[in-house]
Amino acid sequence: MQNSKMKFFDSHAHYNDEKFNVDRDKIINEIFNDEIKKIICAGYNLPSSKQALEIAQKYKNIYSIIGISPNDVINNKKDLYNQLSQIEKLAENKKVVAIGEIGLDYHWNTENKNIQKETFIKQIDLANKLKLPIVIHTREAVNDTLQILKENEVIKKGVFHCCPLNIELIKEALNLGYYISLAGPITFKNSKNANLIIDSLPLEKILIETDSPYLSPEPFRGKRNDSRNLKLIAEKISKVKQKTLKEISEITYKNTCRIFEINEEI
């Protein structure tokens, strides 16, 4: 991986996570000295969205996405709507580049499917109002996620973040105009579909992410993840696609800047 002048864009990371509380600034500065040029810090509820924006405002080349994830939806609708109203106000800031991560998750929660769906749709409406793309989290909820996206217009489309390695989901997502973001799981030894999925993806639709501090790629699986490991994900894609690492870094960098309307200059 020794190649000068490469530039990588981590399209989804959580430097607002408590696992970075001890050394957040130190890690971020080390990352930016290691060919990682831009990062998107992702919120998942109101407090983490506020912190994602604060981090983005502190660093020139960090941007934020804000929203309420399906795992952070609350059943009290009055409080939920108040949170969504605050998300809308935060999204007026220019360092906010998308609404997310939003979507459906039936792995952890199956008893609140209706409120998850309602919250997902309301945040699609918010993204449309603000002319922003969306960043989608879906887990064990493929059919309902796709149904909502087909029945509710999404003006700026967006990204399936840490996309499940499900070939049918990816075919449908591509048909609907979405980008696919690949993360550490494509490097896992037990990841049966990874090569097939990577091979099936058009280069112009691929993003890469770490989802830091989670989902460290091999050989660091189980350890705290950070954006420097993005190269291992890009390396896996480069081998399957028979491209150089530099080519994959440049393609995914440009793709991320395009979907989030971020200037490519460093």
Side-chain angles (χ1 to χ4, degrees), residues 143-156:
N143 290 337
D144 284 355
T145 300
L146 289 171
Q147 184 177 356
I148 285 173
L149 294 175
K150 288 174 181 177
E151 292 177 355
N152 297 270
E153 182 187 19
V154 182
I155 295 171
K156 284 285 185 84

Side-chain angles (χ1 to χ4, degrees), residues 117-130:
K117 291 176 183 177
E118 181 181 339
T119 306
F120 187 16
I121 292 167
K122 282 190 173 296
Q123 291 184 98
I124 288 172
D125 292 341
L126 175 59
N128 287 341
K129 179 180 177 181
L130 298 171

Side-chain angles (χ1 to χ4, degrees), residues 208-220:
I208 52 177
E209 66 171 272
T210 57
D211 204 19
S212 300
Y214 309 103
L215 298 176
S216 289
E218 299 286 0
F220 302 113

Side-chain angles (χ1 to χ4, degrees), residues 12 16 39 66 69 72 114 125 127 138 158 168 190 204 211 214 220 253 261 265:
H12 195 108
N16 45 354
I39 297 168
I66 63 173
S69 86
D72 292 271
N114 288 336
D125 292 341
T138 181
E168 294 305 319
N190 62 349
E204 67 272 14
D211 204 19
Y214 309 103
F220 302 113
Y253 183 95
E261 297 185 2
E265 292 180 8

